[in-house]
Amino acid sequence: MAEIEIPDSMKILKEWWGRLSTLSLQFMKLMGLGLRLKDPSYIANSHSFGSSQNESAIRVNFYPATVNKDLETGQVRCGEHSDYGSVTLLIQDSPGLEVMNRSTGEYEAVTAPPGGIIVNIGDVMQFWTSDTLVANKHRVLVSDDKHLQEADRVSIPFFAMPDQTTLIECLVGRSKYPPVTMHEWLKQKIDSAFKERQLQ
């Protein structure tokens, strides 16, 4: 596959970083109000984007067209998972994301209206809210839609992660999980993921 250079790509990504980090903070403040936290800004204030203590990230995922490729409909392109952090903001230029319906266990395609952004709840938010908000499992498969098979797909997720020193503890309802720092939480999640892969 030929390499494609995008002029000013770093400048563009920094611009997106600024916009998405600001939007995620606004969203988390609204969540704090909706959850009726004593300090509605607590969750947002646990994210010092750009600091050495924060591992939030923006990523550009490129999915090449699959038409005339040795791939089968339904083949996995990005396996089932939930995100580790608090929230993920996702921009996609065409359909592809599928989210599990927890009532049925079935996966459903999710799209945003033009100019819209998809928001995923992450594992830390589920922890913070004692399962009031649940991290959604999602995936990307090879589509059975010929038009989608013929086109490249790009998705840009922004992963909002609390600062490494943040104590993750239940903020609403019962204390379902023991408190843990974000650093230790992330280490546990990564260790668990590696163990699962070794067993496959």
Side-chain angles (χ1 to χ4, degrees):
M1 181 182 297
E3 291 187 6
I4 301 174
E5 288 193 15
I6 302 175
D8 298 322
S9 56
M10 186 57 69
K11 179 182 177 183
I12 293 169
L13 281 176
K14 285 181 177 179
E15 217 173 280
W16 276 110
W17 170 275
R19 293 181 182 183
L20 292 173
S21 60
T22 298
L23 182 60
S24 69
L25 291 175
Q26 293 171 340
F27 184 78
M28 287 186 279
K29 287 176 182 176
L30 290 174
M31 292 179 76
L33 289 169
L35 292 166
R36 300 183 179 180
L37 301 183
K38 291 181 181 178
D39 178 4
S41 297
Y42 176 81
I43 293 175
N45 291 341
S46 299
H47 299 71
S48 302
F49 294 130
S51 77
S52 60
Q53 287 297 314
N54 189 276
E55 295 194 20
S56 298
I58 189 170
R59 182 186 300 163
V60 179
N61 297 322
F62 177 68
Y63 297 88
T66 58
V67 68
N68 299 325
K69 299 289 195 302
D70 188 21
L71 297 171
E72 297 180 5
T73 296
Q75 190 167 329
V76 175
R77 306 195 81 182
C78 180
E80 174 187 287
H81 67 284
S82 57
D83 297 332
Y84 293 164
S86 45
V87 296
T88 300
L89 306 186
L90 178 72
I91 300 168
Q92 57 178 7
D93 65 354
S94 62
L97 179 71
E98 294 183 355
V99 173
M100 180 187 285
N101 183 323
R102 290 189 292 115
S103 298
T104 64
E106 299 294 321
Y107 273 88
E108 300 175 1
V110 175
T111 57
I117 293 176
I118 295 170
V119 180
N120 286 333
I121 297 297
D123 295 332
V124 168
M125 190 65 71
Q126 179 171 338
F127 189 120
W128 258 329
T129 63
S130 298
D131 296 351
T132 300
L133 300 175
V134 178
N136 54 317
K137 300 231 180 248
H138 49 282
R139 68 185 187 185
V140 178
L141 304 181
V142 174
S143 175
D144 59 0
D145 185 311
K146 185 177 180 182
H147 294 294
L148 295 179
Q149 291 177 358
E150 291 174 343
D152 296 335
R153 175 178 178 265
V154 175
S155 70
I156 304 176
F158 175 84
F159 302 99
M161 309 277 278
D163 297 343
Q164 291 288 294
T165 54
T166 299
L167 183 65
I168 309 299
E169 56 186 341
C170 299
L171 301 176
V172 298
R174 63 195 185 284
S175 296
K176 189 171 183 179
Y177 305 107
V180 63
T181 64
M182 182 59 192
H183 173 80
E184 185 58 33
W185 163 265
L186 193 56
K187 182 177 181 299
Q188 290 173 9
K189 297 294 284 186
I190 292 172
D191 287 348
S192 175
F194 272 109
K195 285 178 183 176
E196 286 180 13
R197 181 160 294 187
Q198 288 172 348
L199 293 174
Q200 291 177 354

